């Protein structure tokens, strides 16, 4: 039986997802686990298609420091070469003898100029060397102005400090079943006015050719006032769900993806933060329910949120939901 | 009589508060007086569960300066040790004799390098010491780049400069009574489009087991155009209020909490600011009304807002409101 | 005839303005021309009621530089005194003879340390002086970190670069009259999604005592897509206007104020900007209309907006509007 | 036949566009291709009508660096002149002989002071020179504080990294035709909740005089959840479109302009970004359709977006749409 017929005709299709409907464009995943769209741009220059600043903001800390350190070494080596080329006799106060030591002193003079330490034992004499040193000090200060901006940018960049469960569950829910995903904040931020939007993308056969179909999934709650504990996002499989007629096999054999989009106001950044993730149908556990992840502290005066239990679940019978139903 | 029956059945229950419904998770308070959720996270690393940057932003000013000062001392002591270890003869220009004085001079050389003052009387000679000094100058500049970012972050962090009265009052209101809380801005900011949301959380017995129940409290006004003077947030205890049937004893004996959430646009930060607070039922004064806190200036050309009167109230009779009523 | 009866009973009163209703609190003006509420706070410390950072942001540029300069002089004088007190012999490299010159050299050494120039001719010798110099360099760097934050804060603070006409006009409008105010952007920003809200506050006599009454004024347009040219905010005096029955004398004799609030998204700051102003009834010109303030450039390829014509108006007859009308 | 009669009477006129209705004000284009309104301000000082800070933010990078470099040269030349004027004998440590060399050394001393390198070989002696040097170091540090702010401002300024097709197309659409414009993100940002608003401005003759008329164009979709691939903004020419009765000649001969406004939340900047563009009627290609610009990668695991195909189109017959229709 064709998949398209299995998709509940009462489900609300949605088209303005920003993804194409032609499955020949579908590259295996609409959205990566990290929330980035699985898209590459071509026909545009490398520096035009990326934002250097934002790439530097999102680098791991150690890589960021490494880049600064390498830049510092390289630029001082370059300047040292030019100082030697102008003539080592234009650097006053040298105490070195060998060529190697002279190069080292030129390099250290360059470092002292670039960082504006300027001890002055080694100091520039003559027009060319003095000019170069003035330029180097300017470049040094501008570099540190840029680095200051980068540091602040890295610190202050609003991020949704939210973690999603690795799996979505098909879990019992009241008399029916529901798709459940769990999300929890892991930093000392308070996220208020959180709002979730869940869409599925499915590759179906229609009129003899395949197409990407998108459906918005109605949720138990679209928003919570404050995302302080964990939030289990629940899509109940009611008559209006696209999954209403799905069997266990349909979940296992269909190429599809649940796209989760979550927006909240973060009072730490005083800014709206946005995060996305996706669950392919292979990442849905059929027949399981989440274990509670928060409880009262032993002293009884706090609630403890166990972040390590975010993805803990126990098996739960959902076979009753796969019986034949009648839909239009 | 069970508390649950006392709660007005016409009151609108709310569930998406971000807090759990299981009272065994309730740790004595949902939200602390400061507005932070009374929650602790576990199963996650210390540095993962806190944001170092934001912790530094919210430290008291003197602690922040103390941390900078201690960091400055410690890092220079470390560098001084390494300079001595490499050899004090690689520092030119020393005038000291004793080992103690030599260490002091190494320490001061380190300070002069770290801050990039670089007087130059003491200056590095030789490869190892010069390299270390270059690294220290780099580290110094990066440290000050970070500190610059932290200062700006501390300055510019949007905060709701709002103070809430310490108590909520059960006050006379037209022919009935109302729960009243007062809030006032205490800085020279203008807060516009202010919006309040008030929820109560109550621990009730239901079907033989206790549960946290949440109810949204309808307000006289949910928003004000400009929060320039004080704003008394008023929840009139009408037929649709969860408190409609409450007696004085119910207020005193129930474990419950009024959660207040306030959002406004602050034209000083040009940003939305959010603040929260909570009143446990023990913090409700039964039978009192707020004294006015603003009046015309003696010159007659200004309005004076007396911030010290934010929590001033006088007793007021509300006993008429505790008579038996009939509700569905 | 009492003013209250003159106020159109069909006008929509509004209460959540953030201002009090008791006229004995009314200090002559709700909102100053600059848009700041005409309110003073008391019962709270000076530094608690103002934000030092935001006060520094809004200072005129020359005052801001003057404060920096004075701070620079004062802190270096203080350090110079301490250097002399420790002993001028702990400063190496002095070339001065008189006490006055010695003080000057201590002062210049302090300047060179504070700014981290550190020429080194004058340099610290001994523990106390070296420690003080290290502290001064640290304080200098922290000061410049703070100043950097202040500069960026001053630059980047979103401001609504909008100017309002100095007067509101009672102008002819179709067959009736209208209150008109004009606003225009004066910088190279593009303000989109601009939205205006106009309220009047009037002191009226009600039941034998006076009270502040507020009414929202319905506008011809509450918003414009883009505020690129001037925008004339128009409140037509229709049957639902509070001014419907007003005579020329009522406008002249009533103590009242038109409060204008304007919000827009500024694409220069990529932020929402908000501005307010107010017109007392004395600032309303009875019988006038605005002259156009933009026209095609002489080359015909641009529109020219004449900012100097923002408040230009010509007399216009509105006497027909003061005839007796019947309202409910 | 007058153009106004050709404009569909069912089309929804819009007036609050921020542009004037008097065509004698129309300077050939409402909005430039770059999205800036085609307006000039007069009657206001040069520095009052532009924001120096924002002008520096939007300068090309090389111009920005050039300005810094020229400022650096000029300010040091000025200081060099003053140092010489005070007297070259107040600079200690000079090694030069000729007047030219003395000026050079004064210039380099100024550079070393301004950048706070302060080698110290050349150092100030005497009150006047020392004072000037202290001021210069202060000015230098303030300049770099300002430059730091400018760099961060340049980096962090939210920009909509979106490119529009150069032409709008009149393309076949279902059984009718539609105006289509294509937009695509070209950087590694994720734009969510994108919303478009399209307006046309047309110069028409009404009652014997010309006027600017504006109409909002209804779109197939006003918004997309995520702007990850290209988005073709489609205005179907239905019965309610102002273009319903337009012939090929009307498109070619009318003076008019399609104004496009696009707003989205950019998760790279965590900010709302806004962009605008315009298409004059001459920039509409009559009878063409866009070629697809994204497809699956050859490895099959990604979608490739070809930015260079943004404006690629192929001819398409739309002559069927120019037949006579009946409208009210």
């Amino acid at each position: 039986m064709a998949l398209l017929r299995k998709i509940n005709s009462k489900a609300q299709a949605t088209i303005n997802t920003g993804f194409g409907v032609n499955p020949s464009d579908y590259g295996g995943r609409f959205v990566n686990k990290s929330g980035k769209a699985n898209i590459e741009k071509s026909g545009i220059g490398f520096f035009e298609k990326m934002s250097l600043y934002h790439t530097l903001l999102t680098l791991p800390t150690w890589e960021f420091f490494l880049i600064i350190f390498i830049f510092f070494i390289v630029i001082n080596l370059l300047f040292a070469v030019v100082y030697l080329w102008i003539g080592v006799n234009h650097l006053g106060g040298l105490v070195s003898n060998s060529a190697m030591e002279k190069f080292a002193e030129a390099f250290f003079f360059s470092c002292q100029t670039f960082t504006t330490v300027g001890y002055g034992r080694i100091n520039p004499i003559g027009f060319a060397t003095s000019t170069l040193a003035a330029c180097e000090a300017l470049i040094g200060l501008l570099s540190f102005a840029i680095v200051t901006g980068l540091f602040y940018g890295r610190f202050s960049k609003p991020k949704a400090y939210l973690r999603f469960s690795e799996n979505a569950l098909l879990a019992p829910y009241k008399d029916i079943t529901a798709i459940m995903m769990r999300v929890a904040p892991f930093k000392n931020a308070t996220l208020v006015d959180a709002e979730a939007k869940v869409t599925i993308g499915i590759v179906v056969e229609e009129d003899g050719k395949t197409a990407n179909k998108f459906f918005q999934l109605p949720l138990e709650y679209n928003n919570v006032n404050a995302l302080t504990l964990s939030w289990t996002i629940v899509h109940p499989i009611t008559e209006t769900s696209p999954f209403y007629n799905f069997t266990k096999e349909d979940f296992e054999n269909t190429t599809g993806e649940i796209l989760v989009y979550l927006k909240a106001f973060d009072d730490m950044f005083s800014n709206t933060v946005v995060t996305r993730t996706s669950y392919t149908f292979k990442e849905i556990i059929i027949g399981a329910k989440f274990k509670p992840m928060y409880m009262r502290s032993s002293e009884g005066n706090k609630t403890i949120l166990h972040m390590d239990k975010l993805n803990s679940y126990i098996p739960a019978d959902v076979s009753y939901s796969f019986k034949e139903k009648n839909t239009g």
Side-chain angles (χ1 to χ4, degrees), chain A:
Chain A
M1 177 170 150
L3 181 65
L4 187 59
R5 283 189 47 207
K6 299 292 282 290
I7 295 174
N8 192 341
S9 60
K10 291 176 187 164
Q12 186 196 357
T14 182
I15 194 158
N16 54 350
T17 57
F19 295 101
V21 297
N22 185 347
S24 70
D25 311 332
Y26 179 61
R29 189 144 204 171
F30 295 106
V31 169
N32 290 319
K33 210 70 187 161
S34 69
K36 278 275 163 206
N38 187 21
I39 284 167
E40 204 177 279
K41 292 183 179 76
S42 83
I44 183 169
F46 178 74
F47 284 104
E48 232 179 332
K49 87 177 170 193
M50 58 100 81
S51 163
L52 187 59
Y53 172 64
H54 286 93
T55 306
L56 287 171
L57 288 204
T58 48
L59 277 184
T61 306
W62 71 268
E63 279 190 38
F64 181 66
F65 276 106
L66 189 65
I67 284 175
I68 291 174
F69 189 71
I70 290 173
F71 173 81
F72 181 68
I73 299 292
V74 168
I75 201 159
N76 282 310
L77 284 175
L78 289 178
F79 271 102
V81 167
V82 184
Y83 286 123
L84 283 189
W85 178 77
I86 293 174
V88 79
N89 53 320
H90 287 97
L91 289 176
L94 295 196
V95 296
S96 52
N97 300 307
S98 69
M100 189 60 207
E101 278 176 15
K102 280 189 168 54
F103 181 79
E105 288 216 286
F107 176 79
F108 293 129
F109 169 71
S110 167
C111 290
Q112 291 161 20
T113 303
F114 191 81
T115 58
T116 79
V117 168
Y119 297 114
R121 173 170 65 77
I122 318 174
N123 57 73
I125 295 169
F127 192 81
T129 302
S130 294
T131 303
L132 191 63
C135 287
E136 186 176 12
L138 177 65
I139 291 169
L141 281 171
L142 296 184
S143 302
F144 287 107
I146 290 171
V147 164
T148 302
L150 288 173
F151 270 116
Y152 181 67
R154 287 177 68 91
F155 292 154
S156 65
K157 185 176 164 51
K159 277 178 284 282
Y161 288 126
L162 287 172
R163 240 171 242 173
F164 286 93
S165 60
E166 264 172 61
N167 295 105
L169 309 185
L170 182 71
Y173 174 78
K174 295 177 180 171
D175 295 338
I176 54 173
T177 54
I179 300 284
M180 297 188 182
M181 293 137 293
R182 194 151 65 171
V183 62
F186 65 95
K187 292 255 184 200
N188 51 350
T190 308
L191 294 146
V192 293
D193 288 335
E195 188 193 329
K197 215 184 275 179
V198 181
T199 312
I200 57 161
I202 284 186
V203 181
V204 295
E205 208 167 319
E206 189 174 27
D207 308 335
K209 53 182 186 174
T210 54
N212 297 335
K213 284 270 180 187
F214 294 94
F215 299 91
Q216 182 113 26
L217 298 190
L219 301 181
E220 183 194 31
Y221 303 110
N222 291 315
N223 56 70
V224 293
N225 291 347
L227 220 168
T228 43
L229 294 169
S230 62
W231 179 20
T232 305
I233 301 172
V234 174
H235 163 62
I237 302 187
T238 63
E239 286 201 1
T240 60
S241 165
F243 297 126
Y244 187 56
N245 296 313
F246 265 45
T247 62
K248 197 168 185 304
E249 290 70 35
D250 290 331
F251 277 111
E252 282 162 8
N253 301 332
T254 309
T255 301
E257 202 173 334
I258 300 178
L259 309 172
V260 182
Y261 164 88
L262 205 150
K263 187 165 90 169
F265 184 86
D266 183 324
D267 78 343
M268 193 161 76
F269 293 108
S270 284
N271 210 339
T272 299
V273 292
V274 159
T275 188
R276 300 200 300 177
T277 193
S278 96
Y279 299 93
T280 62
F281 281 15
K282 301 216 177 313
E283 289 162 352
I284 302 176
I285 308 290
I286 306 296
K289 58 180 183 185
F290 283 117
K291 283 156 78 175
M293 67 180 283
Y294 55 88
M295 59 199 59
R296 197 200 295 229
S297 70
S298 52
E299 298 85 17
N301 61 345
K302 280 197 174 179
T303 305
I304 307 287
L305 182 67
H306 294 276
M307 284 305 298
D308 48 350
K309 294 189 179 162
L310 181 58
N311 202 42
S312 329
Y313 53 83
I314 48 172
D317 179 36
V318 292
S319 58
Y320 60 88
S321 72
F322 296 131
K323 284 168 201 152
E324 196 63 36
K325 294 151 196 163
N326 289 323
T327 45

